[in-house]
mmCIF file of all heavy atoms in Angstrom:
data_model
loop_
_atom_site.group_PDB
_atom_site.id
_atom_site.type_symbol
_atom_site.label_atom_id
_atom_site.label_comp_id
_atom_site.label_asym_id
_atom_site.label_seq_id
_atom_site.Cartn_x
_atom_site.Cartn_y
_atom_site.Cartn_z
ATOM 1 N N GLU A 9 29.484 -47.673 -43.451
ATOM 2 C CA GLU A 9 30.443 -48.741 -43.199
ATOM 3 C C GLU A 9 29.674 -50.038 -43.270
ATOM 4 O O GLU A 9 28.631 -50.177 -42.550
ATOM 5 C CB GLU A 9 31.097 -48.552 -41.837
ATOM 6 C CG GLU A 9 32.158 -47.485 -41.760
ATOM 7 C CD GLU A 9 33.429 -47.791 -42.515
ATOM 8 O OE1 GLU A 9 33.701 -48.975 -42.686
ATOM 9 O OE2 GLU A 9 34.054 -46.809 -42.952
ATOM 10 N N PRO A 10 30.137 -51.020 -44.028
ATOM 11 C CA PRO A 10 29.381 -52.289 -44.100
ATOM 12 C C PRO A 10 29.363 -53.062 -42.733
ATOM 13 O O PRO A 10 28.475 -53.790 -42.435
ATOM 14 C CB PRO A 10 30.046 -53.091 -45.179
ATOM 15 C CG PRO A 10 31.378 -52.482 -45.380
ATOM 16 C CD PRO A 10 31.267 -51.011 -44.981
ATOM 17 N N GLY A 11 30.479 -52.886 -41.945
ATOM 18 C CA GLY A 11 30.548 -53.578 -40.710
ATOM 19 C C GLY A 11 31.285 -54.897 -40.816
ATOM 20 O O GLY A 11 31.764 -55.272 -41.903
ATOM 21 N N ASP A 12 31.348 -55.628 -39.702
ATOM 22 C CA ASP A 12 32.053 -56.905 -39.724
ATOM 23 C C ASP A 12 31.160 -57.999 -40.258
ATOM 24 O O ASP A 12 30.037 -58.170 -39.796
ATOM 25 C CB ASP A 12 32.495 -57.316 -38.282
ATOM 26 C CG ASP A 12 33.476 -56.282 -37.745
ATOM 27 O OD1 ASP A 12 34.307 -55.771 -38.502
ATOM 28 O OD2 ASP A 12 33.424 -55.957 -36.513
ATOM 29 N N PRO A 13 31.683 -58.791 -41.206
ATOM 30 C CA PRO A 13 30.832 -59.862 -41.840
ATOM 31 C C PRO A 13 30.281 -60.853 -40.768
ATOM 32 O O PRO A 13 31.025 -61.325 -39.951
ATOM 33 C CB PRO A 13 31.770 -60.541 -42.825
ATOM 34 C CG PRO A 13 32.853 -59.516 -43.077
ATOM 35 C CD PRO A 13 33.027 -58.739 -41.830
ATOM 36 N N ASN A 14 29.035 -61.132 -40.879
ATOM 37 C CA ASN A 14 28.403 -62.195 -40.112
ATOM 38 C C ASN A 14 27.096 -62.549 -40.846
ATOM 39 O O ASN A 14 26.823 -62.005 -41.897
ATOM 40 C CB ASN A 14 28.139 -61.822 -38.660
ATOM 41 C CG ASN A 14 27.208 -60.621 -38.529
ATOM 42 O OD1 ASN A 14 26.037 -60.736 -38.755
ATOM 43 N ND2 ASN A 14 27.770 -59.428 -38.199
ATOM 44 N N CYS A 15 26.353 -63.517 -40.296
ATOM 45 C CA CYS A 15 25.200 -64.017 -41.043
ATOM 46 C C CYS A 15 23.926 -63.185 -40.813
ATOM 47 O O CYS A 15 22.848 -63.563 -41.254
ATOM 48 C CB CYS A 15 24.952 -65.475 -40.714
ATOM 49 S SG CYS A 15 24.558 -65.739 -38.973
ATOM 50 N N ARG A 16 24.055 -62.106 -40.072
ATOM 51 C CA ARG A 16 22.890 -61.281 -39.813
ATOM 52 C C ARG A 16 23.103 -59.877 -40.402
ATOM 53 O O ARG A 16 24.160 -59.251 -40.184
ATOM 54 C CB ARG A 16 22.674 -61.199 -38.266
ATOM 55 C CG ARG A 16 21.282 -60.848 -37.886
ATOM 56 C CD ARG A 16 21.059 -61.216 -36.393
ATOM 57 N NE ARG A 16 19.754 -60.819 -35.911
ATOM 58 C CZ ARG A 16 18.634 -61.468 -36.148
ATOM 59 N NH1 ARG A 16 18.640 -62.539 -36.921
ATOM 60 N NH2 ARG A 16 17.486 -61.041 -35.674
ATOM 61 N N ILE A 17 22.071 -59.357 -41.059
ATOM 62 C CA ILE A 17 22.249 -58.014 -41.619
ATOM 63 C C ILE A 17 21.198 -57.031 -41.039
ATOM 64 O O ILE A 17 20.151 -57.416 -40.588
ATOM 65 C CB ILE A 17 22.126 -58.002 -43.169
ATOM 66 C CG1 ILE A 17 20.800 -58.640 -43.630
ATOM 67 C CG2 ILE A 17 23.271 -58.645 -43.846
ATOM 68 C CD1 ILE A 17 20.583 -58.521 -45.136
ATOM 69 N N TYR A 18 21.593 -55.778 -41.049
ATOM 70 C CA TYR A 18 20.772 -54.714 -40.531
ATOM 71 C C TYR A 18 20.366 -53.809 -41.654
ATOM 72 O O TYR A 18 21.179 -53.397 -42.487
ATOM 73 C CB TYR A 18 21.643 -53.961 -39.461
ATOM 74 C CG TYR A 18 21.127 -52.611 -39.072
ATOM 75 C CD1 TYR A 18 19.896 -52.475 -38.350
ATOM 76 C CD2 TYR A 18 21.833 -51.440 -39.339
ATOM 77 C CE1 TYR A 18 19.428 -51.271 -37.976
ATOM 78 C CE2 TYR A 18 21.398 -50.204 -38.946
ATOM 79 C CZ TYR A 18 20.190 -50.119 -38.266
ATOM 80 O OH TYR A 18 19.719 -48.914 -37.877
ATOM 81 N N VAL A 19 19.056 -53.504 -41.755
ATOM 82 C CA VAL A 19 18.561 -52.661 -42.849
ATOM 83 C C VAL A 19 17.886 -51.464 -42.222
ATOM 84 O O VAL A 19 17.075 -51.606 -41.284
ATOM 85 C CB VAL A 19 17.533 -53.434 -43.704
ATOM 86 C CG1 VAL A 19 17.136 -52.618 -44.903
ATOM 87 C CG2 VAL A 19 18.157 -54.728 -44.167
ATOM 88 N N LYS A 20 18.229 -50.252 -42.701
ATOM 89 C CA LYS A 20 17.545 -49.046 -42.235
ATOM 90 C C LYS A 20 17.084 -48.174 -43.384
ATOM 91 O O LYS A 20 17.331 -48.510 -44.509
ATOM 92 C CB LYS A 20 18.475 -48.293 -41.245
ATOM 93 C CG LYS A 20 19.683 -47.677 -41.873
ATOM 94 C CD LYS A 20 20.527 -46.933 -40.871
ATOM 95 C CE LYS A 20 21.753 -46.296 -41.503
ATOM 96 N NZ LYS A 20 22.575 -45.558 -40.566
ATOM 97 N N ASN A 21 16.433 -47.078 -43.021
ATOM 98 C CA ASN A 21 15.845 -46.118 -43.991
ATOM 99 C C ASN A 21 14.703 -46.827 -44.762
ATOM 100 O O ASN A 21 14.586 -46.610 -45.992
ATOM 101 C CB ASN A 21 16.910 -45.599 -44.980
ATOM 102 C CG ASN A 21 16.448 -44.353 -45.661
ATOM 103 O OD1 ASN A 21 15.872 -43.460 -45.051
ATOM 104 N ND2 ASN A 21 16.705 -44.241 -46.984
ATOM 105 N N LEU A 22 13.897 -47.616 -44.042
ATOM 106 C CA LEU A 22 12.789 -48.265 -44.704
ATOM 107 C C LEU A 22 11.559 -47.389 -44.646
ATOM 108 O O LEU A 22 11.307 -46.693 -43.659
ATOM 109 C CB LEU A 22 12.480 -49.612 -43.999
ATOM 110 C CG LEU A 22 13.560 -50.698 -44.110
ATOM 111 C CD1 LEU A 22 13.227 -51.869 -43.212
ATOM 112 C CD2 LEU A 22 13.699 -51.191 -45.560
ATOM 113 N N ALA A 23 10.772 -47.375 -45.735
ATOM 114 C CA ALA A 23 9.560 -46.563 -45.735
ATOM 115 C C ALA A 23 8.523 -47.229 -44.797
ATOM 116 O O ALA A 23 8.563 -48.375 -44.541
ATOM 117 C CB ALA A 23 9.011 -46.535 -47.185
ATOM 118 N N LYS A 24 7.583 -46.362 -44.385
ATOM 119 C CA LYS A 24 6.606 -46.909 -43.394
ATOM 120 C C LYS A 24 5.678 -47.936 -43.985
ATOM 121 O O LYS A 24 5.080 -48.736 -43.269
ATOM 122 C CB LYS A 24 5.802 -45.729 -42.773
ATOM 123 C CG LYS A 24 5.031 -44.900 -43.769
ATOM 124 C CD LYS A 24 4.331 -43.720 -43.103
ATOM 125 C CE LYS A 24 3.605 -42.857 -44.107
ATOM 126 N NZ LYS A 24 3.047 -41.655 -43.485
ATOM 127 N N GLN A 25 5.553 -47.954 -45.328
ATOM 128 C CA GLN A 25 4.675 -48.954 -45.949
ATOM 129 C C GLN A 25 5.310 -50.359 -45.999
ATOM 130 O O GLN A 25 4.613 -51.317 -46.273
ATOM 131 C CB GLN A 25 4.367 -48.583 -47.416
ATOM 132 C CG GLN A 25 3.763 -47.251 -47.645
ATOM 133 C CD GLN A 25 4.797 -46.200 -48.064
ATOM 134 O OE1 GLN A 25 5.748 -46.004 -47.388
ATOM 135 N NE2 GLN A 25 4.610 -45.566 -49.225
ATOM 136 N N VAL A 26 6.624 -50.444 -45.759
ATOM 137 C CA VAL A 26 7.320 -51.729 -45.898
ATOM 138 C C VAL A 26 6.789 -52.726 -44.873
ATOM 139 O O VAL A 26 6.595 -52.439 -43.695
ATOM 140 C CB VAL A 26 8.830 -51.520 -45.694
ATOM 141 C CG1 VAL A 26 9.561 -52.898 -45.642
ATOM 142 C CG2 VAL A 26 9.431 -50.669 -46.804
ATOM 143 N N GLN A 27 6.543 -53.920 -45.402
ATOM 144 C CA GLN A 27 6.088 -55.068 -44.527
ATOM 145 C C GLN A 27 7.076 -56.182 -44.638
ATOM 146 O O GLN A 27 7.959 -56.204 -45.541
ATOM 147 C CB GLN A 27 4.696 -55.528 -44.983
ATOM 148 C CG GLN A 27 3.627 -54.482 -44.840
ATOM 149 C CD GLN A 27 2.271 -54.966 -45.375
ATOM 150 O OE1 GLN A 27 2.065 -56.186 -45.510
ATOM 151 N NE2 GLN A 27 1.371 -54.066 -45.644
ATOM 152 N N GLU A 28 6.939 -57.184 -43.752
ATOM 153 C CA GLU A 28 7.890 -58.293 -43.745
ATOM 154 C C GLU A 28 7.876 -59.028 -45.043
ATOM 155 O O GLU A 28 8.921 -59.495 -45.484
ATOM 156 C CB GLU A 28 7.504 -59.267 -42.577
ATOM 157 C CG GLU A 28 7.936 -58.763 -41.218
ATOM 158 C CD GLU A 28 7.854 -59.809 -40.127
ATOM 159 O OE1 GLU A 28 7.645 -61.012 -40.482
ATOM 160 O OE2 GLU A 28 7.919 -59.442 -38.971
ATOM 161 N N LYS A 29 6.690 -59.077 -45.676
ATOM 162 C CA LYS A 29 6.644 -59.833 -46.977
ATOM 163 C C LYS A 29 7.501 -59.159 -48.054
ATOM 164 O O LYS A 29 8.053 -59.817 -48.939
ATOM 165 C CB LYS A 29 5.200 -60.017 -47.450
ATOM 166 C CG LYS A 29 4.474 -58.720 -47.791
ATOM 167 C CD LYS A 29 3.102 -58.922 -48.328
ATOM 168 C CE LYS A 29 2.435 -57.615 -48.733
ATOM 169 N NZ LYS A 29 1.096 -57.786 -49.280
ATOM 170 N N ASP A 30 7.630 -57.804 -47.946
ATOM 171 C CA ASP A 30 8.453 -57.082 -48.900
ATOM 172 C C ASP A 30 9.943 -57.435 -48.704
ATOM 173 O O ASP A 30 10.679 -57.598 -49.686
ATOM 174 C CB ASP A 30 8.300 -55.538 -48.732
ATOM 175 C CG ASP A 30 6.835 -55.089 -48.979
ATOM 176 O OD1 ASP A 30 6.282 -55.503 -49.985
ATOM 177 O OD2 ASP A 30 6.329 -54.335 -48.132
ATOM 178 N N LEU A 31 10.317 -57.574 -47.461
ATOM 179 C CA LEU A 31 11.676 -57.898 -47.153
ATOM 180 C C LEU A 31 11.959 -59.359 -47.482
ATOM 181 O O LEU A 31 13.033 -59.713 -47.971
ATOM 182 C CB LEU A 31 12.008 -57.655 -45.682
ATOM 183 C CG LEU A 31 11.924 -56.189 -45.265
ATOM 184 C CD1 LEU A 31 12.098 -56.008 -43.741
ATOM 185 C CD2 LEU A 31 12.967 -55.335 -45.988
ATOM 186 N N LYS A 32 10.938 -60.221 -47.323
ATOM 187 C CA LYS A 32 11.126 -61.622 -47.687
ATOM 188 C C LYS A 32 11.271 -61.774 -49.199
ATOM 189 O O LYS A 32 12.075 -62.574 -49.679
ATOM 190 C CB LYS A 32 9.920 -62.446 -47.174
ATOM 191 C CG LYS A 32 10.066 -63.927 -47.437
ATOM 192 C CD LYS A 32 8.883 -64.748 -46.968
ATOM 193 C CE LYS A 32 9.101 -66.222 -47.262
ATOM 194 N NZ LYS A 32 7.987 -67.019 -46.874
ATOM 195 N N PHE A 33 10.520 -60.901 -49.924
ATOM 196 C CA PHE A 33 10.565 -60.916 -51.411
ATOM 197 C C PHE A 33 12.005 -60.609 -51.899
ATOM 198 O O PHE A 33 12.473 -61.185 -52.892
ATOM 199 C CB PHE A 33 9.585 -59.925 -51.919
ATOM 200 C CG PHE A 33 9.571 -59.775 -53.454
ATOM 201 C CD1 PHE A 33 9.195 -60.827 -54.245
ATOM 202 C CD2 PHE A 33 10.012 -58.591 -54.029
ATOM 203 C CE1 PHE A 33 9.197 -60.695 -55.647
ATOM 204 C CE2 PHE A 33 10.029 -58.462 -55.441
ATOM 205 C CZ PHE A 33 9.642 -59.517 -56.199
#
């Protein structure tokens, strides 16, 4: 379910190698 629209998003199922710079990219 996408959820109720707002300006903040939630991301899950990220690999352990993921860093903040990857998400910023």
